[in-house]
Amino acid sequence: MDRALRILFLTHSFNSLTQRLYDELRECGHEVSIEFDINDTVTTEAARLYAPDLIIAPYLRRAIPEAVWRRHVCLVLHPGIRGDRGPSALDWAIINAETEWGVTVLQANAQLDGGDIWASAGFAMRAARKSSLYRNEVTEAAVTAVLAAVDRFRGGTFVPEPLDECDPAVRGRARPLMRQTDRWIDWLGDDSASILRKIRSADGAPGVEDEIFGQPYQLFDACPEGSLSGRAGEIIARRDGAICRATCDGAVWIGQLRRIDPDERTLKLPAVDAIGPRAGAVTELPLPAGAAAGVSTYREISYVEEQGVGYLYFDFYNGAMSSAQCARLQNAYLSACARPTRVIVLLGGRDFWSNGIHLNVIESAESPADESWRNINAMNDLAQAIITTTSHLTIAAMRGNAGAGGVFLALAADHVWARTGVILNPHYKSMGNLYGSEYWTYLLPKRIGRQRAEAITENRLPLGVRAARRLELIDDHFGTSEEDFRQEVRVRAQAIAQDPAFPFALAEKNRQRMRDEAERPLESYRAAELERLRMNFYGFDPSYHVARYHFVYHVPHSWTPLHLARHRRLN
Ligand code: COA
């Protein structure tokens, strides 16, 4: 059976891992349709409508109905090593300080995570948030294991291996759902390392429940602090929206909090915003001037200079950029432009390069429309600063995924490179028909032409780096691991900075900008985009506000959009 397959993805949502597998399988020539796991009836109907060769469940929160797994081979991706079972696989791996972990592809049967094994792949654990491990190591291992399983299925002779729990090589065990009591922090007794593990094991969900100033919160986004200390449990400093809390052997930073209120839906927000006025009493402690990059502390933005190249990192939680974060980044960018370097590399964060405006901060504002307006203008100011840079050549080096305005912000740079494996979502439309700004109407057609620009903004599908390169949306991709990518970026950026032809390249870039400006002023693109956005924010159609509400509160899907559910389009 050596042919392209019709594969149905059964998934809780079209999350980044699912998008990556979608891209990889399509690059291999397979046809993929998607159905969200809403209920058994809908799942059964999707399988009937599509009649797939194979069903893959990259991210499921419920068991597949028996009527489906008895009729079709259903491969379930489990983020755990062979033998591991249960809904908190990565959480336990982090809490238990495992050094090696992995993913397993199992055939669905009556026993949850207990089916025969089609493939598995391992990775070395990293001291990081659960969500970061999921978006990096787990995703890369998942690609390896799922592609191996699909090839084996296609070969037609492979016999999946039943789990043998008596085999000493099988390290995994069935583990229960991790509860808050398993993660509870004793601020007087736990050391910083175990507090970091507890918070990281619960990030991005469900967070660790705790109290701050007598109020209940869920904690997220923990980061080590190398030098501060105080009375264990006390909040001793704040910086750029994060708070620093003393432990018995030092301190840790907490970037994000969600207030727990049984009577109200609440949002994950920068810690200082979530605490409110009481955070005003805490001392704002700016990053010490000249703090070396290697020193452990909370920093969203950092700058490193080497051999004529300035490297600007901006690691915003979930890639979301509030008005304040955009302004801070713009300041840092302008400072980088004032340095006697030749090239500026914009490296974003490890997990995300950027996901555009900060929808949670917007949702929590007194006037979400006004805050949307402020935020998009702050993004535009930043994009404009990059586009109009005359002193340097600029490179957007995407270590992590980018979505919506984040992708278009990257296009503001002269060169756009991505780590192999990055997924881009260069469209706004899924957010309630948002028109978007960030000068995308200038940047996108300029790079890829008007027709292609229209196609990718309309069809709302994720793009892998190979497709993005074919479309010329990005200039190149390389390096599967973040470390390899960064190393290669260094080599290439230095080569540009040291190239004897650098002055000519810079002069040509500036001439091109002047030609573009003469043809149509940059500001007229912004004005036209903002005119459309004004309707999104302040007009009669509330779609953007409704879609944002659904997005930030993770309201479960009640149907699969037709642009993803190919089988429903065909029928
Ligand atoms: N503002 C606030 N939070 C954002 C965000 C944004 N722009 N983009 C992503 N997030 C948050 C999600 O709410 C989620 O939060 P969690 O930690 O509570 O789970 C987290 O980032 C991860 O997002 P998720 O959708 O699970 O990640 P993904 O990698 O699977 O998908 C995107 C990535 C970009 C497709 C998706 O996050 C998205 O559509 N984001 C919105 C982009 C957008 O419309 N921006 C505004 C216009 S510029």
Side-chain angles (χ1 to χ4, degrees):
M1 206 209 308
D2 197 12
R3 61 182 168 86
L5 302 177
R6 280 157 77 84
I7 300 175
L8 178 68
F9 272 9
L10 189 56
T11 185
H12 176 74
S13 73
F14 199 28
N15 71 348
S16 55
L17 184 150
T18 309
Q19 295 186 7
R20 174 73 188 285
L21 291 174
Y22 173 83
D23 175 63
E24 293 285 345
L25 289 165
R26 281 169 39 115
E27 287 285 343
C28 293
H30 302 299
E31 184 187 285
V32 183
S33 189
I34 295 156
E35 183 71 36
F36 291 154
D37 178 38
I38 289 159
N39 60 42
D40 288 358
T41 312
V42 171
T43 299
T44 312
E45 181 185 66
R48 182 178 54 74
L49 287 174
Y50 195 44
D53 298 311
L54 177 64
I55 295 180
I56 298 180
Y59 168 41
L60 266 197
R61 293 192 180 169
R62 298 175 336 118
I64 297 176
E66 184 171 350
V68 174
W69 62 255
R70 283 217 183 271
R71 183 163 307 176
H72 302 269
V73 172
C74 299
L75 301 183
V76 178
L77 178 72
H78 177 71
I81 52 175
R82 282 168 176 252
D84 182 85
R85 297 209 303 267
S88 305
L90 271 177
D91 313 43
W92 286 115
I94 295 170
I95 288 278
N96 294 337
E98 300 281 354
T99 52
E100 300 283 325
W101 200 242
V103 303
T104 310
V105 178
L106 310 141
Q107 183 161 345
N109 65 9
Q111 193 190 14
L112 207 61
D113 301 333
D116 294 353
I117 297 169
W118 280 78
S120 60
F123 55 84
M125 287 285 275
R126 176 169 56 91
R129 296 193 280 263
K130 176 175 65 170
S131 52
S132 181
L133 289 166
Y134 185 82
R135 290 186 186 115
N136 291 280
E137 285 82 351
V138 169
T139 299
E140 292 305 329
V143 170
T144 306
V146 168
L147 292 186
V150 168
D151 274 352
R152 287 167 184 171
F153 175 80
R154 200 162 56 150
T157 55
F158 182 79
V159 180
E161 193 188 319
L163 176 65
D164 175 7
E165 282 184 302
C166 300
D167 180 351
V170 174
R171 283 197 302 121
R173 293 285 168 267
R175 294 187 197 278
L177 174 75
M178 188 178 283
R179 305 202 174 272
Q180 285 296 334
T181 45
D182 298 311
R183 315 186 206 251
W184 179 76
I185 297 174
D186 172 8
W187 287 96
L188 301 182
D190 286 349
D191 60 13
S192 301
S194 64
I195 292 172
L196 286 170
R197 270 202 307 278
K198 287 178 179 179
I199 301 177
R200 285 171 169 166
S201 77
D203 208 333
V208 173
E209 291 182 11
D210 195 13
E211 278 196 2
I212 293 171
F213 296 134
Q215 292 294 317
Y217 289 94
Q218 289 162 342
L219 318 186
F220 306 89
D221 188 21
C223 157
E225 164 56 42
S227 55
L228 297 175
S229 60
R231 242 199 13 231
E234 263 185 23
I235 309 293
I236 52 174
R238 46 182 263 190
R239 176 180 305 150
D240 295 341
I243 53 169
C244 184
R245 192 164 192 178
T247 64
C248 62
D249 64 345
V252 297
W253 288 90
I254 298 159
Q256 306 280 318
L257 296 175
R258 180 188 284 130
R259 190 165 48 81
I260 300 172
D261 184 338
D263 300 325
E264 201 191 321
R265 269 189 153 153
T266 54
L267 281 171
K268 195 188 278 187
L269 288 172
V272 167
D273 294 354
I275 293 172
R278 288 209 60 177
V282 182
T283 313
E284 176 80 23
L285 196 72
L287 191 63
V295 171
S296 292
T297 191
Y298 183 80
R299 69 181 96 204
E300 287 182 312
I301 299 174
S302 51
Y303 176 76
V304 182
E305 212 170 274
E306 197 188 21
Q307 303 204 24
V309 182
Y311 298 91
L312 190 55
Y313 295 82
F314 43 101
D315 199 352
F316 299 126
Y317 187 76
N318 282 340
M321 294 168 61
S322 67
S323 309
Q325 286 165 320
C326 291
R328 286 200 289 272
L329 181 54
Q330 190 182 341
N331 279 338
Y333 178 75
L334 293 176
S335 302
C337 288
R339 298 286 307 154
T341 49
R342 290 181 146 192
V343 173
I344 298 172
V345 185
L346 301 162
L347 281 136
R350 184 180 182 124
D351 292 349
F352 294 104
W353 197 83
S354 169
N355 278 331
I357 55 176
H358 201 313
L359 299 167
N360 289 33
V361 168
I362 288 171
E363 186 66 35
S364 72
E366 208 166 296
S367 163
D370 288 351
E371 187 51 38
S372 301
W373 186 259
R374 245 193 310 277
N375 202 161
I376 202 75
N377 274 290
M379 282 290 282
N380 283 352
D381 292 345
L382 173 61
Q384 192 240 18
I386 300 169
I387 296 168
T388 58
T389 299
T390 52
S391 53
H392 289 71
L393 287 181
T394 55
I395 299 166
M398 292 191 268
R399 298 184 286 160
N401 296 348
V407 180
F408 302 115
L409 184 68
L411 304 190
D414 302 315
H415 300 272
V416 184
W417 302 338
R419 178 178 61 77
T420 300
V422 154
I423 291 288
L424 306 174
N425 276 280
H427 45 85
Y428 300 92
K429 213 176 164 186
S430 303
M431 196 55 65
N433 268 327
L434 190 69
Y435 187 73
S437 193
E438 288 98 2
Y439 299 90
W440 77 266
T441 53
Y442 166 63
L443 296 166
L444 190 62
K446 182 161 109 92
R447 248 184 181 269
I448 68 172
R450 201 158 293 282
Q451 250 180 351
R452 285 167 162 188
E454 205 172 295
I456 64 169
T457 49
E458 285 301 311
N459 72 18
R460 290 169 288 158
L461 288 171
L463 278 181
V465 288
R466 282 159 293 194
R469 172 78 192 81
R470 283 195 296 273
L471 282 168
E472 299 180 54
L473 183 72
I474 62 171
D475 299 304
D476 209 353
H477 66 88
F478 42 87
T480 310
S481 74
E482 194 264 350
E483 290 73 17
D484 288 350
F485 176 65
R486 215 155 19 103
Q487 179 54 24
E488 181 66 19
V489 165
R490 261 178 78 222
V491 171
R492 293 185 182 209
Q494 280 174 21
I496 292 175
Q498 286 155 18
D499 187 345
F502 175 86
F504 304 104
L506 184 63
E508 177 46 30
K509 155 192 159 150
N510 291 335
R511 273 196 297 274
Q512 183 58 46
R513 176 82 276 288
M514 282 163 71
R515 284 194 291 269
D516 289 355
E517 188 67 19
E519 197 175 303
R520 182 177 165 190
L522 192 58
E523 286 320 289
S524 81
Y525 291 95
R526 178 174 179 156
E529 289 166 5
L530 287 177
E531 214 35 62
R532 299 287 292 268
L533 274 181
R534 193 187 293 281
M535 298 305 290
N536 286 137
F537 298 161
Y538 297 103
F540 291 120
D541 178 359
S543 299
Y544 156 70
H545 298 292
V546 172
R548 190 191 61 238
Y549 178 90
H550 284 226
F551 179 81
V552 299
Y553 288 111
H554 303 309
V555 175
H557 303 281
S558 47
W559 53 287
T560 309
L562 286 185
H563 70 280
L564 303 179
R566 192 183 164 82
H567 50 286
R568 297 193 181 276
R569 260 187 349 252
L570 297 175
N571 289 277

